[in-house]
Amino acid sequence: MPGLSCELIIVSDLRIVLLGKSVLENSGVGNFILGAPAFDSEVPPDVVERIGGRLKDRHVIIINSPQLLQTNISDHQITQTVRECVYLSDPGPHVIVLLLKHDQCSTEDQQHVEKVLLSFSERVFQHTMVISTQEPTETNDILQKIIQKCANRHFSLQRSSSPHDLLQMFEDIVQMNVGQHLVCAEASQSFNIEQQSTERISEGEKLNLVVCGSNRTLKSSISKRILQQTDRRSDAELHGRQISLVELPALFNTQLSEEEVMRQALRCVSLCHPGVHVFLLIIPNAPLNNEDKAEMEEIQRIFSSRIIKHIMILIMQNSEHQTELNEETQSVIESFGGRHLVFGPKTQVSTLMKKIEHMLKENRGEVFSTETFLEAQMKKLLQFEEMEKKIHSFETHLLAKAPTKMSSSKKSGKL
């Protein structure tokens, strides 16, 4: 009798669909998996986002749908959202994650969850698991039934939880399905027809690129490579696309005031109507210096986490000899969402354009607009004001207690 062998199945991109009821909760779990603030907790609940990153040594793509498990959405909304999830996970998801709470799981929830899952495929339960984000006070029988339908795959997310433990559960699902993704042909085909119609409308739109980074020479070099021009802002047609390119001056500059830095950033975005499709962040293929690091921190601070889905990192290389990226550069790539390209002297611009077109597809043509920029600044201002209120309240509390302490000291004869 021939011996049995067990082969480890490895897939290149691990595609995960995250389903839930709350933008805040879905964003938190998505960020936990990617180890970076990739998902914005203030996006509208009907927006389905796709963001890539790394978890341990795996490239992970998360398609985040924070309203699909809400029981009050219509059948039409379910159909449209499922189609979008399938399209963004093309050719199909490896894992579907249900975010459920012990105290918010009723018979109605169970029926709704099953309706949503079966909208993907009849075989969906082979690819599905449950994540709960709270410690249960008592057992919920309905939740247990859902978990049992998912082959008892359940991960309880606590403060001590590790993303690596969760990755192992994802990998187990992949192994059980022999590396095969969930096939959802009907939903994918329906959404593709609608998506093609949308793409035809936007074909004539200009592609707006912003080149950023601390090194002006590297930024000028990539600008020339893309447009073969030296103007600070240039329009040209490239690979069938009308392109507008803006170079963002280095924001980390001790000679510039905070007001001037904000003005430079806002001006850059406002030059790109209706908004920026892709920010090309240029870094050298060498150990990063303090200016490089400070500039990247400033970009994240000024533009907020909302910029991550629009960032591609270009690693400029002096020779065609491919060298392994150092750990620091890999960490930078992951913190900005995982999209990158090593750009050598002979790298074709068409290679960059293919990656950019793929980004546009992932982002469904969404742009980083002046409204996005201003909303991010308003959010930071409100957070600052809230912090000031807390500090003032704390100071008032301390001052109110101070006389009591002094009085007690005098009574006891202590000065």
Side-chain angles (χ1 to χ4, degrees), residues 163-361:
H164 295 170
D165 295 335
L166 185 54
L167 174 62
Q168 187 56 56
M169 291 199 71
F170 295 155
E171 297 288 10
D172 290 345
I173 294 174
V174 171
Q175 297 304 313
M176 195 186 78
N177 291 296
V178 202
Q180 297 299 309
H181 59 78
L182 181 64
V183 178
C184 321
E186 185 177 349
S188 178
Q189 183 179 12
S190 301
F191 190 79
N192 272 325
I193 294 170
E194 295 175 10
Q195 184 69 14
Q196 287 167 8
S197 174
T198 305
E199 286 174 354
R200 289 193 197 101
I201 296 172
S202 60
E203 271 178 2
E205 286 186 7
K206 191 178 293 182
L207 176 62
N208 295 322
L209 306 178
V210 169
V211 181
C212 51
S214 64
N215 192 312
R216 187 173 181 180
T217 303
L218 291 183
K219 287 190 292 188
S220 297
S221 172
I222 194 64
S223 297
K224 290 176 185 177
R225 294 275 295 277
I226 293 175
L227 298 178
Q228 298 299 308
Q229 295 183 40
T230 57
D231 294 342
R232 194 166 189 76
R233 181 178 188 271
S234 308
D235 294 332
E237 187 170 309
L238 185 63
H239 299 278
R241 291 294 300 259
Q242 190 72 16
I243 289 182
S244 169
L245 187 143
V246 177
E247 279 189 33
L248 175 67
L251 298 177
F252 183 75
N253 187 332
T254 54
Q255 297 179 349
L256 295 179
S257 66
E258 177 74 3
E259 183 180 352
E260 182 59 29
V261 168
M262 287 294 180
R263 188 181 293 116
Q264 293 270 24
L266 179 58
R267 179 179 179 275
C268 162
V269 177
S270 63
L271 284 172
C272 302
H273 182 75
V276 183
H277 292 95
V278 180
F279 290 83
L280 298 173
L281 176 55
I282 316 300
I283 63 174
N285 185 27
L288 301 174
N289 59 36
N290 291 336
E291 285 188 10
D292 295 324
K293 296 173 185 176
E295 182 67 15
M296 287 186 287
E297 288 176 4
E298 194 73 350
I299 287 171
Q300 283 189 312
R301 182 181 75 85
I302 298 296
F303 291 97
S304 81
S305 61
R306 295 191 182 190
I307 196 176
I308 290 177
K309 67 187 293 186
H310 299 284
I311 282 241
M312 179 183 292
I313 294 181
L314 291 190
I315 304 149
M316 300 300 284
Q317 194 167 257
N318 294 326
S319 70
E320 288 304 312
H321 179 64
Q322 180 71 46
T323 57
E324 188 174 343
L325 299 177
N326 61 58
E327 189 174 330
E328 186 178 44
T329 301
Q330 289 178 339
S331 177
V332 168
I333 291 169
E334 290 166 17
S335 68
F336 278 100
R339 301 180 179 106
H340 72 283
L341 175 66
V342 177
F343 211 83
K346 294 183 180 179
T347 303
Q348 298 294 315
V349 175
S350 59
T351 304
L352 173 61
M353 287 302 298
K354 285 178 183 176
K355 282 199 167 266
I356 289 174
E357 293 289 353
H358 186 66
M359 274 186 71
L360 297 181
K361 180 180 175 183

Side-chain angles (χ1 to χ4, degrees), residues 140-153:
N140 184 305
D141 293 337
I142 300 298
L143 179 59
Q144 291 304 314
K145 287 179 182 178
I146 296 173
I147 293 171
Q148 287 170 8
K149 274 216 158 189
C150 301
N152 291 313
R153 291 184 290 261

Side-chain angles (χ1 to χ4, degrees), residues 41-60:
S41 61
E42 295 194 359
V43 297
D46 60 341
V47 171
V48 179
E49 291 187 285
R50 168 180 160 143
I51 295 181
R54 295 196 72 80
L55 174 52
K56 205 174 178 181
D57 298 324
R58 300 286 276 105
H59 185 249
V60 176

